[in-house]
Amino acid sequence: MMADEASATHSSPTVTPKAAYHHGDLRAQLITAVRELVETHGPDGFSVAEAARRAGVSSAAPYKHFKDRHEILHGVVSEAMDRLRAAMEEGAAAHPHGSLEAVAAVGLAYVDFARAEPGVFRLVFGLTEGHENAPDLLTKGESCFGVVVQAAAACLGLAPSDPDVQRRAYMLWSFVHGHSFLAIDMKHKVASAEIDDWDYLMSISRAILASTAQV
Amino acid sequence: MMADEASATHSSPTVTPKAAYHHGDLRAQLITAVRELVETHGPDGFSVAEAARRAGVSSAAPYKHFKDRHEILHGVVSEAMDRLRAAMEEGAAAHPHGSLEAVAAVGLAYVDFARAEPGVFRLVFGLTEGHENAPDLLTKGESCFGVVVQAAAACLGLAPSDPDVQRRAYMLWSFVHGHSFLAIDMKHKVASAEIDDWDYLMSISRAILASTAQV
DNA sequence: TGTACATCAGTGAACGCGCGTTCACTGATGTAC
DNA sequence: TGTACATCAGTGAACGCGCGTTCACTGATGTAC
């Protein structure tokens, strides 16, 4: 009776389907579905079939938008890295340029992302299937690192290309990356649970940026 | 003709089989096979069937030693954590008690482990399937952390239970953990490739243990 | 504005595959007497 | 030392399952005239 009675045949659509054919949003909807699956069932608890089911289409439909399952995963990772970078930039922008707070805020955005989407976060850094060579993902990874470098350079009053800046930025990144993983792996365990991320990131940023050359 | 002609039927045994029946070493051999698989094909590129094939037994044989596939993975992780902890302790023992070098050496053992067995390393920290609650793994994780705490406490001349020691030990761990992951994920990429682990760990240990309270 | 048609984005049935796991079985081993 | 037997640790055939992917198809859409 309803115009979209086709939806009745959908097992449990993630997003309300618009029309039976050509809803024009399948690509994005599939990526969303995969993101949810990865979040719920872990980085490998994903299948093209299940994603299609969630998007309310046949299991063959995804192949109109993606070459194979790897390409879907690639799409999810690519989109996630864009969001991660945007969040890091927002974090920096929320504090005075060159401040230690700006550096810590970049790190906080990173940790927040990991806590909010642990499955996707793991996926982004655990792509061991043959994606690691995808040049666009490498580029996106570098530009995420670039945000850290920028903030560190501004804080130290040095050029981003300065080797000392690069080194300290990498130290910061290592730390934040490790804390993120520990936070999501250990969940409620050991020390990580009792930690206030902001205090923690501030003191580590201070320790790293102030070591040897005092700030 | 040969005594072990049974081996001819084995597709490609990892270890030379001893006797057709009761070689008495299957459990250990399966764990080795899975470790190799995880290393070669990533944390999820493992199957009971393939492990059995590698060990030169039928696909039903593993079930005489393990309840299900999760239990095999559990065994691999458990064994890996034992080796990781032993390596960390050896690292610390190779330097004067209480020295900064001892702290850095613990970290180096950790990073070396990750570089030597990236697949297993990821597996240990990426068990998202329903193992994370296994109490013995949590205990082993804690005792790995304990090695860091001991080294940090000795270096700072404080008790291991001191909150400041705990905090700094966790900082060290975060850093080393992050550096390990970045090192194996980025492989030959960005800054991580050009880094000398020892120098790097020494300076980070110094920065963390000397911050605020000067050592 | 109306019609013809190329193209796009779906369907649904089918395929082969490898996997996890079970089952009844059987050969080797260790122990009691 | 020899025999009977319980137990252990394998076999190999079979099962059902869900998946990735392909295929010929069809309904909807956009465009040329």
Side-chain angles (χ1 to χ4, degrees), chain A residues 207, chain B residues 155-156 158 164 168 205-215:
Chain B
C155 186
L156 290 167
L158 298 170
D164 190 48
R168 287 177 204 255
S205 300
R206 193 177 293 117
I208 289 174
L209 294 180
S211 67
T212 308
Q214 302 296 329
V215 80

Side-chain angles (χ1 to χ4, degrees), chain B residues 4 7 19-20 29 34 36 52-53 57 89 93 102 128 146 148 161-163 181 201:
Chain B
D4 59 343
S7 70
Q29 239 172 272
V34 171
E36 289 175 4
R53 233 170 278 137
V57 294
E89 283 170 346
T128 37
V148 183
S161 59
D162 187 308
F181 264 112
L201 288 165

Side-chain angles (χ1 to χ4, degrees), chain B residues 22 47-49 53 59-60 63 69:
Chain B
H22 296 86
S47 73
V48 176
R53 233 170 278 137
S59 66
Y63 294 92
R69 74 190 304 280

